[in-house]
Amino acid sequence: FNFTQSNIFGTHVLLEAAKCHRGIRRFIHVSTDEVYGEGETFETEAMKEEHVLEPTNPYAATKAGAEFLVKSYHRSFKLPCIITRGNNVYGPHQFPEKLIPKFTNQLLRGRAVTLHGDGSNTRNFLYVEDVARAFEVILHKAKPGQILNIGGDNEISNLEVAKKLIDILGFGDKEEDLITFVPDRKFNDLRYTINSGKLAQLGWKEEMSWEEGLRTTVEWYKKYTSRFGNIEDALVAHPRIGVAPGQGVTNT
């Protein structure tokens, strides 16, 4: 029930707190592109904000549920709410349970990356500074009641991400040995595709290229991964939710 607790109950608590504080000028709710559901083929048209929500997994369903709460507070109590639905964020400082820092840290430790399924699932990766710029635009230019997609143009398969990281780290000659395939997650949609035209009309555009963003990110982890302490639990193929750092892995 972790997703329900944080995404639905947590959002409801914040909405109630904001409703009781009459000085709130903006309530920006950060949702996800996953609420639209899976892009079933690579020909699926990019989804706009008006698209029906069809979440395919429990996490996405709780995010969609939270959105309905936000909409209700905007309509019933005139709370100045704005909803964003974004692509996958990457960049420095991200905890290593996420794909790019996880693969980077596995490789830096001389280990093979652990790809779920056959690695063909794609995601659109957006550099963290571009996301920050998007929220700056939304904060100052979006109107209460609006829903805005935040998406980039870097749709790439997990397998290609792994190969690119291997190349950046100089292990290209060992690529075959550094890629392993593990059982897929219970729910792992093929792709998510969103149209960010509305946000572009407000003046936002993606500025960081995939190549530069990935290299910048890798360099950061080469220097500063130690800041996270013991991350062994995050680097296993299927991390367990709720396990204290250092308690889920036994060194042999």
Side-chain angles (χ1 to χ4, degrees), residues 32-42 44-47 54-57 59-60 86-88 121-125 152 155-156 185 187-195:
T32 170
D33 56 5
E34 291 192 43
V35 297
Y36 291 119
E38 182 177 40
E40 296 179 354
T41 71
F42 289 102
T44 301
E45 186 176 351
M47 298 177 188
E54 295 181 341
T56 58
N57 62 70
Y59 165 77
N87 282 155
N88 285 41
N121 304 72
T122 67
R123 295 295 182 264
N124 206 321
F125 294 94
E155 184 173 2
I156 184 170
R185 292 182 293 165
F187 48 86
N188 192 6
D189 292 335
L190 175 66
R191 65 192 291 253
Y192 304 110
T193 173
I194 58 177
N195 181 314

Side-chain angles (χ1 to χ4, degrees), residues 8 27 51-52 135 158 190 192:
I8 295 181
F27 185 102
H51 195 283
V52 64
F135 278 104
N158 292 340
L190 175 66
Y192 304 110

Side-chain angles (χ1 to χ4, degrees), residues 185-218:
R185 292 182 293 165
K186 294 295 183 184
F187 48 86
N188 192 6
D189 292 335
L190 175 66
R191 65 192 291 253
Y192 304 110
T193 173
I194 58 177
N195 181 314
S196 300
K198 283 188 178 181
L199 182 58
Q201 290 175 5
L202 295 180
W204 177 84
K205 66 177 181 178
E206 183 179 9
E207 296 182 13
M208 178 65 83
S209 71
W210 169 245
E211 179 79 24
E212 183 182 356
L214 201 59
R215 289 187 179 277
T216 299
T217 301
V218 168

Side-chain angles (χ1 to χ4, degrees), residues 104-145:
T104 301
N105 277 282
Q106 287 174 328
L107 292 167
L108 288 173
R109 287 161 171 73
R111 305 174 193 171
V113 302
T114 49
L115 272 166
H116 290 173
D118 62 4
S120 64
N121 304 72
T122 67
R123 295 295 182 264
N124 206 321
F125 294 94
L126 195 57
Y127 191 68
V128 62
E129 291 183 6
D130 280 324
V131 178
R133 282 188 282 268
F135 278 104
E136 184 176 22
V137 169
I138 290 165
L139 179 64
H140 295 289
K141 295 185 178 181
K143 297 178 180 179

Side-chain angles (χ1 to χ4, degrees), residues 90-94 127-129 213 216-217 220-221 228:
Y90 78 99
H93 301 278
Q94 189 173 39
Y127 191 68
V128 62
E129 291 183 6
T216 299
T217 301
W220 190 90
Y221 283 99
F228 293 107

